[in-house]
Amino acid sequence: MSMLNKLMLSAAALGASSAAFAGNGAVADEFKWMTFTVFGVIIAITMAITFWAARTTHTTSEFYAAGRSVSGIQNGWAIAGDYLSAASFLGIAGLISLYGYDGFMYSVGWLVAYITVLLVIAEPCRNIGKYTMGDILAFRNDPKKTKTVAALSTITVSTFYLTAQMVGGGVLIKTLIGIDYEISVIGVGILMLAYVVFGGMKATTWVQITKAVLLVTASIILVIMVWAPYGFSLPGYLQAVVGDADVQKQVAKLLGDKAATMTPEELGQRFLEPGLFLKNPIDQISLGLALVLGTAGMPHILMRFFTVPTAQAARTSVIWAMGIIGGFYVLTLFLGTGAAMLVGPDKIAAVDAGGNMAGPLLAQFLGGGENSLLGNFMLAFVAAVAFATIVAVVAGLVLAAASAMAHDIYVGVIRGDHATPKEQVVAARVASVIVGVIAITVGILAKGQNVAHLVALAFAVAASSNLPAVFLTLYWKKCNTTGIILGMIVGTVTAIGLVMISPNMTYPKAVIASANKVLSGEPAVPAKEAAPAVERSSFMCELFAMEGCVLAKPAQAAAAEKPAKPGAAEKLAGLNARLPTLETDLAKAATPELKATVEADLAKVKKDIAAVEKAKAKAEGDLAKFEGQTTSIMGLEKPFFLLKNPGLISIPLGFLLVIFGSLFTRDKRAEEMWDELYVRQNTGINAEAASAH
Amino acid sequence: MSSSNFNWAVIDADPKFQALHRKKTFFLWGLMVFSIIYYFLLPIGAAYYQELFKTKVWGVVNFGLLFALSEFVVAWVIAFVYSKKANAQFDAMAQEIINDVNSGRI
């Protein structure tokens, strides 16, 4: 009974707070009630799920692994729900809406990653594992040592990913419906804690399934609405996209000077060609490696394979997950290009510079636009799906971190595997609360911080530390404790270290320079003569900013002189000076047509003024924030490591060190246990069974 | 981890298990290597073979777009091929070994 009360209380607190703190957002005030109604319905459904799940969540197997009673298909949906974070759901559609082809290309790696999961990780993990990655590593190695490093790595990866999700979620909810950032973070945290603490893995699984179904349904409806007018013809639809004036304008903006010689048709076509967003192929390969190998080392994804009864069900679940995740990314091609064509990249970027609002704004447009009831209902629905997405992903991550803390560290290391079943469940719940509170606190502290690098970092650490250890212990007889500890520590430290000196961090000098450009304008650039292509001095120079490095540059055509650009104050003065003239014109306008033209001009000038003022305020804010600073938190003026993703270096290093560490020491027990591990992972003999109910 | 009931070394050395091990290793590594190569063709092609990627093949649809879409199809085909093979062959082979173990033959 008290549990029910607590659930009700947290739900009520969230409802009350959201009503009280509603400010500005993409949803207009008069339609907010709809958003809150849809939010309320989703919260009510998930709370009912939690209440139902809580009745059968008593043992550790039930808490961590839903009693191993989740079917393959259910688990497939849950994996999709766990994996399709707001970043991939809103972010990729946004990238496509702003940059076309490159956004779509970016989405491919997220699916291909599951081939690794399917072929080498899912089934062996199900056959060998119990609740955590630490269990797999401890199978034939020193349990205390490997569980400790496995837990540390799990908590590191989960915390990075969790912080990115909390901050991203807080910003997202604020942009969508204007709820204060802190309130959003606390709300998400409390809801997620309710699912995890009371309902354990069973509630988390069903919240993820619910969210995945909502997400896929919403996307299919939107895509049908976007694509149907073209009779579901791919060339016909894309012809309309490349012929759209907004799309052509966006490409021209991205290409700058190069666009001058291109026809509108060429500009539109360029939207479907690579190179508008991803410029550095080596960086992409590095990111690709981190995705393809990192997903299989993500603790919250690994954990999902302990919830199914057999290895066959684990296999089925990856197949379903690949179908759902891949299908979803194909849909985002239409969501992204549709938003670019119908809403317009300008308008999307005005609400959120990263393009995150492309999907929600497309929904609003398709429903009838800003002032229509249906349009706002659809926006509300998509906003609520985004909210469910954040909560579901965060719940999975908290459960993974909590299991590492309670099962690996407390039960395995501190209590030496001698804790009573009851004690274990209590430890699991306490750990969930601790992780949840940390997530909320870090989320609030990280407000306004640059967290984009944290997702890259989470995947890089998973790929450089977790995957080499898990993979080699499963497939290489000589792999042992020393190798695992060495590889995991060096993999993690290298990945984190490289990101800390990479372009992902904030470099005050660059921020101050660009803020000054906004405020005081740019001087004229003299005409340039054509320059031949420059070869890079060495491959290492692509990776590190070393002395004497010459970076590769393509041949450049001669460029005409560029005029000086005015600063913000000058721009504002110019725009404001136009206002009185336009207003007198408006008063004097004789015909309704003329009046309408002048009104449109006036509206445009006012919009421009607002945009310049916004940019000016941001530049001034940046100047104040970084005043007197010249270096990043690592003491660098500019990045030393030039890739955004460290995978290219840290992943091979992680593998190599597991191998070296294992070869330099001999562990007889690890080798003796090899037969058992290998037979068990391939046959499922002695695997953890499903619980009775 | 009660491992005393089974003699793992004997099971491991059994010809049936060795046959499963060989088949699986060959098949899984083949698929894995193929999928990784096929995936990295995309960023490499997009960066170094732009003319090819820009070639229009179906109305405004260019080679690059079709290639990106093919990545999805190839991933699904790999998943399908693997699950067919595993369901039809690996599972049956593993079941035979389990039966032998349970009946005391191994």
Side-chain angles (χ1 to χ4, degrees):
Chain A
M1 195 60 214
S2 73
M3 193 188 297
L4 183 65
N5 280 340
K6 278 185 207 156
L7 289 179
M8 296 302 227
L9 214 70
S10 52
L14 188 81
S17 59
S18 46
F21 289 89
N24 292 320
V27 183
D29 277 336
E30 66 261 44
F31 294 111
K32 286 230 163 84
W33 62 272
M34 268 190 320
T35 310
F36 291 128
T37 311
V38 186
F39 269 47
V41 171
I42 290 181
I43 293 172
I45 294 172
T46 53
M47 279 302 158
I49 290 171
T50 307
F51 188 66
W52 160 77
R55 290 189 305 175
T56 53
T57 300
H58 307 295
T59 67
T60 36
S61 160
E62 282 158 357
F63 188 85
Y64 292 128
R68 307 191 203 282
S69 62
V70 179
S71 79
I73 296 176
Q74 289 164 355
N75 197 38
W77 281 92
I79 292 171
D82 211 353
Y83 191 64
L84 294 171
S85 64
S88 56
F89 153 42
L90 300 173
I92 290 177
L95 282 181
I96 297 174
S97 78
L98 298 182
Y99 306 102
Y101 183 84
D102 278 3
F104 185 52
M105 192 168 93
Y106 181 74
S107 73
V108 171
W110 301 82
L111 171 69
V112 173
Y114 275 88
I115 295 179
T116 321
V117 178
L118 174 70
L119 297 180
V120 293
I121 293 295
E123 295 175 45
C125 284
R126 173 60 191 84
N127 280 337
I128 295 299
K130 205 171 169 196
Y131 305 129
T132 62
M133 185 177 81
D135 290 332
I136 299 167
L137 296 181
F139 191 92
R140 61 190 183 108
N141 298 303
D142 183 305
K144 287 198 178 179
K145 287 180 188 159
T146 45
K147 278 189 174 181
T148 307
V149 281
L152 287 179
S153 178
T154 300
I155 293 169
T156 309
V157 173
S158 308
T159 311
F160 286 152
Y161 209 53
L162 200 52
T163 309
Q165 294 295 323
M166 292 301 264
V167 176
V171 173
L172 189 72
I173 294 172
K174 178 150 175 57
T175 322
L176 273 171
I177 42 176
I179 299 177
D180 270 358
Y181 175 88
E182 285 84 357
I183 305 292
S184 309
V185 169
I186 294 170
V188 167
I190 290 175
L191 262 183
M192 152 278 278
L193 267 181
Y195 306 147
V196 174
V197 172
F198 299 114
M201 182 53 104
K202 194 167 189 178
T204 305
T205 301
W206 282 95
V207 167
Q208 286 166 346
I209 294 174
T210 310
K211 164 253 168 139
V213 171
L214 283 172
L215 181 59
V216 170
T217 314
S219 307
I220 290 177
I221 293 173
L222 292 180
V223 170
I224 289 176
M225 290 175 79
V226 167
W227 202 6
Y230 304 94
F232 297 106
S233 147
L234 183 65
Y237 168 73
L238 289 175
Q239 179 76 57
V241 172
V242 301
D244 183 76
D246 281 344
V247 170
Q248 292 164 357
K249 211 174 104 192
Q250 168 75 2
V251 175
K253 200 172 119 193
L254 291 172
L255 290 179
D257 297 339
K258 279 183 239 156
T261 55
M262 292 169 76
T263 64
E265 213 174 49
E266 285 169 339
L267 284 174
Q269 184 65 34
R270 188 74 184 76
F271 198 62
L272 301 182
E273 294 168 356
L276 290 179
F277 177 62
L278 304 166
K279 312 265 184 213
N280 183 349
I282 298 174
D283 212 348
Q284 273 171 260
I285 291 170
S286 192
L287 170 74
L289 265 181
L291 282 181
V292 169
L293 300 176
T295 305
M298 279 300 210
H300 67 297
I301 299 294
L302 277 182
M303 199 176 180
R304 290 238 50 93
F305 297 112
F306 306 131
T307 66
V308 289
T310 60
Q312 285 77 14
R315 181 189 308 150
T316 312
S317 61
V318 191
I319 304 276
W320 272 84
M322 284 180 74
I324 299 162
I325 294 167
F328 176 78
Y329 285 139
V330 174
L331 295 181
T332 57
L333 174 65
F334 293 91
L335 296 181
T337 49
M341 173 170 65
L342 300 171
V343 182
D346 255 5
K347 207 175 154 197
I348 296 167
V351 185
D352 177 280
N356 282 326
M357 289 301 121
L361 288 176
L362 176 68
Q364 191 184 40
F365 177 91
L366 291 171
E370 275 167 53
N371 302 310
S372 70
L373 196 67
L374 183 62
N376 279 284
F377 174 74
M378 288 183 52
L379 176 60
F381 185 69
V382 171
V385 172
F387 174 72
T389 292
I390 296 159
V391 178
V393 175
V394 166
L397 285 164
V398 165
L399 200 52
S403 67
M405 205 182 265
H407 178 71
D408 291 340
I409 298 281
Y410 179 75
V411 176
V413 178
I414 298 177
R415 303 279 283 116
D417 267 331
H418 292 301
T420 62
K422 195 167 171 233
E423 196 184 343
Q424 293 193 29
V425 179
V426 173
R429 291 204 154 109
V430 171
S432 308
V433 175
I434 294 173
V435 177
V437 171
I438 292 175
I440 296 172
T441 317
V442 174
I444 291 175
L445 290 177
K447 181 184 181 180
Q449 296 296 310
N450 169 3
V451 291
H453 58 288
L454 287 179
V455 173
L457 198 49
F459 275 92
V461 171
S464 321
S465 156
N466 298 354
L467 188 82
V470 171
F471 178 80
L472 289 168
T473 199
L474 287 176
Y475 292 95
W476 186 44
K477 185 174 179 178
K478 289 210 167 77
C479 180
N480 62 30
T481 313
T482 317
I484 286 175
I485 292 175
L486 197 63
M488 288 186 87
I489 291 176
V490 174
T492 306
V493 171
T494 314
I496 296 176
L498 287 176
V499 168
M500 299 287 280
I501 56 169
S502 76
N504 293 301
M505 307 308 283
T506 305
Y507 294 89
K509 262 197 153 172
V511 178
I512 292 172
S514 74
N516 279 329
K517 259 188 200 168
V518 172
L519 291 179
S520 24
E522 294 170 54
V525 180
K528 268 189 248 166
E529 283 184 30
V534 178
E535 291 262 327
R536 61 156 187 247
S537 34
S538 79
F539 180 71
M540 286 308 281
C541 288
E542 298 265 340
L543 305 180
F544 294 99
M546 290 178 298
E547 293 276 328
C549 268
V550 181
L551 279 183
K553 254 190 240 162
Q556 275 179 331
E561 185 188 317
K562 272 194 255 174
K565 285 184 188 162
E570 204 179 318
K571 269 191 205 161
L572 277 180
L575 287 167
N576 279 321
R578 285 185 63 194
L579 280 179
T581 344
L582 281 169
E583 266 155 14
T584 18
D585 283 356
L586 188 63
K588 280 194 287 187
T591 62
E593 290 83 38
L594 195 60
K595 204 175 163 191
T597 337
V598 178
E599 264 177 353
D601 279 354
L602 196 61
K604 190 178 175 300
V605 169
K606 280 186 178 159
K607 210 180 123 196
D608 287 349
I609 291 177
V612 174
E613 270 175 351
K614 200 175 157 193
K616 190 176 164 225
K618 187 179 174 291
E620 283 168 349
D622 283 346
L623 279 187
K625 195 169 159 193
F626 295 108
E627 205 198 339
Q629 295 181 34
T630 53
T631 58
S632 71
I633 50 170
M634 295 304 290
L636 290 174
E637 285 189 357
K638 56 184 196 318
F640 179 68
F641 181 61
L642 299 174
L643 304 184
K644 283 186 178 154
N645 200 292
L648 200 62
I649 292 179
S650 61
I651 297 170
L653 204 61
F655 273 98
L656 276 178
L657 279 153
V658 178
I659 294 170
F660 281 147
S662 302
L663 289 178
F664 275 118
T665 53
R666 190 84 195 269
D667 184 344
K668 276 191 105 177
R669 182 173 169 270
E671 285 178 35
E672 279 166 17
M673 292 284 286
W674 167 253
D675 285 338
E676 177 177 356
L677 176 107
Y678 199 68
V679 169
R680 280 178 61 171
Q681 71 164 330
N682 279 296
T683 59
I685 298 174
N686 250 8
E688 292 283 326
S691 66
H693 55 120
Chain B
M1 320 239 152
S2 59
S3 42
S4 49
N5 312 345
F6 301 95
N7 191 337
W8 302 105
V10 173
I11 305 177
D12 186 44
D14 191 80
K16 279 185 185 168
F17 185 80
Q18 283 301 316
L20 174 66
H21 158 72
R22 268 197 308 277
K23 276 220 157 90
K24 253 181 135 168
T25 309
F26 177 74
F27 193 72
L28 293 185
W29 283 107
L31 282 184
M32 192 68 214
V33 170
F34 172 74
S35 76
I36 287 190
I37 292 176
Y38 196 77
Y39 168 59
F40 283 108
L41 284 180
L42 180 67
I44 292 169
Y48 302 109
Y49 296 91
Q50 294 222 342
E51 286 317 308
L52 172 67
F53 269 47
K54 289 177 178 179
T55 312
K56 288 194 225 176
V57 283
W58 185 24
V60 296
V61 180
N62 56 30
F63 179 84
L65 198 62
L66 288 182
F67 192 73
L69 283 169
S70 83
E71 291 276 348
F72 289 86
V73 178
V74 166
W76 287 326
V77 168
I78 289 175
F80 179 76
V81 168
Y82 168 70
S83 86
K84 273 269 165 206
K85 183 89 173 174
N87 291 340
Q89 204 176 17
F90 300 154
D91 284 356
M93 290 172 82
Q95 192 54 52
E96 253 186 66
I97 298 163
I98 296 168
N99 291 343
D100 283 353
V101 170
N102 288 341
S103 65
R105 199 196 64 82
I106 301 181

